[in-house]
Amino acid sequence: MEKEKYFPIRRDAEDEIFIICMSELKEFPEHITKLDDIIGKYDSRYISKSYKNLNLDSVMERNNKNLINIEHHSNINSDLMRRDYEYCITVHAASKRYVKPFIFYTGELPIIEVEYANNTMFYNPQWIKTRKIDGNIRLNNIKYKIEKQEPSTVHDIIDLIWLPKYQIDLTIEDTVLLCIELWKNMIAEKWLLDIAKKCLKLWVGRYIEDEKQLKKAVGGLIMSALELRPFEEQLANVIYANRLEQAEKKGIKKGEEKGFKKGEEKGFKKGEEKGFKKGEEKGFKKGEENVILKLLEKDKPEEISEKYNIPLEKIEKIQNTK
């Protein structure tokens, strides 16, 4: 079974799922922050020309005109904390509003929660740690509504989407497959189920490798290649990340420079696996550098490091040698 035929393979699946939830579920910010006075996204018309390049997708406005900024991270370090701090201050300068920062964190614990500039200046965001959320309770709530044939709310759908990152007595692979089984039996509006389905595809593409489990996921989501094509087209900008992962798994172990060159020339363009199966370590290193250079054309080193889990030092070294 060709996994890519049915599922989008993304190393930054969590980022994409977070973006889907923020952009398509207006209840999502309230669901994770527990603030009941969020009125919507901050209107960018109020930003001065000096700050027109700000990405305000995760900046929300409250009834009292204060702002909240919600960032997502699946891992965290001082560089990312400083970047978030800088962005929060920039939003404050641009909007002249009180800005409360939140981090929706889906990674492992424990973590360092405060970044100090000095004794009086520090970044201390409000943390939403999914690993602290009792997934067993959320799971039982969803099962109860299915058993009683009660309609699921948007909040139930959000819990279903993020259940693989909650604290739960299952592996992430088993949780993803369980979510598909639950999804099949939930009663909800079609648009809500469609959003959940889109996110579940991303989870499967990221974590499920076993052939039998993949076939089970395809059957559970009632999918076809034709159905997926438009969604895969939306994900074309991250094809490089997919190729990096394939090269890491197969290319280093088996090959010769000739095979890698074929993968570099054709694999990135057409998704041919044959080249990647043959690249030796030297060839892979060259291809990895080429991919990172390509990503640097549109993203900052810190953003690439966060999205694709590549050490920042490696990215900066490649950037500085070209």
Side-chain angles (χ1 to χ4, degrees):
M1 177 182 182
E2 296 179 20
K3 182 177 179 180
E4 291 179 68
K5 182 178 179 182
Y6 295 95
F7 300 101
I9 301 176
R10 295 191 55 155
R11 297 184 72 172
D12 64 334
E14 290 181 39
D15 284 336
E16 180 63 23
I17 292 169
F18 176 76
I19 291 169
I20 290 170
C21 290
M22 285 294 291
S23 61
E24 300 186 34
L25 297 171
K26 63 181 178 60
E27 295 87 353
F28 182 63
E30 176 185 338
H31 182 87
I32 61 175
T33 64
K34 308 307 178 188
L35 298 175
D36 59 4
D37 62 346
I38 300 172
I39 60 176
K41 290 186 177 181
Y42 179 58
D43 195 333
S44 60
R45 290 178 299 175
Y46 299 130
I47 295 293
S48 71
K49 291 182 180 179
S50 302
Y51 295 98
K52 283 298 182 182
N53 61 339
L54 276 178
N55 182 359
L56 299 172
D57 289 345
S58 295
V59 179
M60 316 298 291
E61 186 175 11
R62 302 176 67 180
N63 271 329
N64 60 7
K65 303 302 180 183
N66 289 346
L67 305 180
I68 62 171
N69 175 49
I70 307 173
E71 297 291 333
H72 166 254
H73 292 295
S74 56
N75 58 75
I76 198 69
N77 55 43
S78 292
D79 287 334
L80 292 172
M81 290 278 281
R82 286 189 285 267
R83 187 196 73 182
D84 291 347
Y85 188 17
E86 180 182 10
Y87 184 73
C88 184
I89 295 301
T90 303
V91 170
H92 169 66
S95 64
K96 301 178 178 58
R97 304 278 188 93
Y98 177 94
V99 182
K100 185 176 181 63
F102 287 81
I103 292 182
F104 182 67
Y105 180 69
T106 54
E108 298 299 324
L109 300 171
I111 53 173
I112 296 174
E113 299 184 13
V114 182
E115 177 66 24
Y116 289 90
N118 52 51
N119 289 337
T120 58
M121 297 176 62
F122 50 88
Y123 180 58
N124 184 20
Q126 182 77 42
W127 291 87
I128 304 149
K129 304 169 191 169
T130 58
R131 296 295 187 188
K132 289 283 189 179
I133 298 173
D134 193 329
N136 296 301
I137 291 177
R138 306 294 174 96
L139 172 61
N140 288 334
N141 289 340
I142 294 171
K143 285 182 174 180
Y144 177 83
K145 287 194 173 182
I146 292 174
E147 181 182 347
K148 298 298 182 181
Q149 289 291 286
E150 294 181 7
S152 295
T153 67
V154 63
H155 296 284
D156 298 322
I157 294 294
I158 292 171
D159 280 334
L160 178 80
I161 289 170
W162 289 103
L163 196 62
K165 289 297 173 175
Y166 289 173
Q167 184 184 32
I168 192 168
D169 299 331
L170 295 168
T171 66
I172 193 166
E173 293 86 357
D174 287 341
T175 305
V176 171
L177 293 173
L178 175 60
C179 287
I180 292 172
E181 290 300 312
L182 295 171
W183 174 85
K184 287 164 52 179
N185 296 303
M186 292 177 80
I187 299 172
E189 295 181 69
K190 183 179 182 301
W191 69 273
L192 275 176
L193 292 173
D194 287 345
I195 291 172
K197 181 178 182 180
K198 191 189 305 184
C199 294
L200 290 175
K201 290 176 186 177
L202 285 161
W203 284 131
V204 173
R206 180 67 183 93
Y207 287 109
I208 304 300
E209 298 291 342
D210 180 78
E211 186 83 6
K212 290 182 179 179
Q213 290 181 333
L214 283 172
K215 289 180 179 178
K216 185 177 180 181
V218 169
L221 292 170
I222 319 170
M223 296 164 60
S224 70
L226 286 176
E227 176 188 352
L228 254 184
R229 190 175 301 160
F231 186 52
E232 288 177 336
E233 288 170 2
Q234 295 175 22
L235 304 178
N237 64 325
V238 293
I239 192 68
Y240 295 106
N242 181 19
R243 295 293 172 253
L244 263 179
E245 186 155 311
Q246 295 300 315
E248 288 171 351
K249 288 181 178 178
K250 300 175 183 177
I252 295 177
K253 295 180 180 178
K254 292 187 178 178
E256 54 196 46
E257 191 167 2
K258 181 179 178 181
F260 175 78
K261 285 181 178 178
K262 185 175 180 182
E264 184 186 22
E265 293 168 2
K266 296 183 179 179
F268 284 115
K269 296 178 182 178
K270 299 180 181 179
E272 295 181 3
E273 292 183 351
K274 191 173 181 181
F276 287 106
K277 290 179 179 178
K278 294 186 176 178
E280 65 176 10
E281 187 170 358
K282 182 178 179 182
F284 169 73
K285 186 176 180 181
K286 179 182 176 183
E288 185 182 41
E289 289 177 357
N290 288 342
V291 171
I292 290 173
L293 287 171
K294 192 71 177 177
L295 293 171
L296 282 166
E297 292 179 6
K298 56 188 179 68
D299 290 325
K300 295 179 180 179
E302 294 82 3
E303 295 171 336
I304 298 170
S305 177
E306 164 68 5
K307 283 183 179 179
Y308 308 119
N309 200 23
I310 301 172
L312 181 62
E313 295 79 7
K314 177 187 285 189
I315 299 171
E316 291 177 336
K317 183 178 179 181
I318 292 172
Q319 185 183 44
N320 294 333
T321 55
K322 300 298 178 181

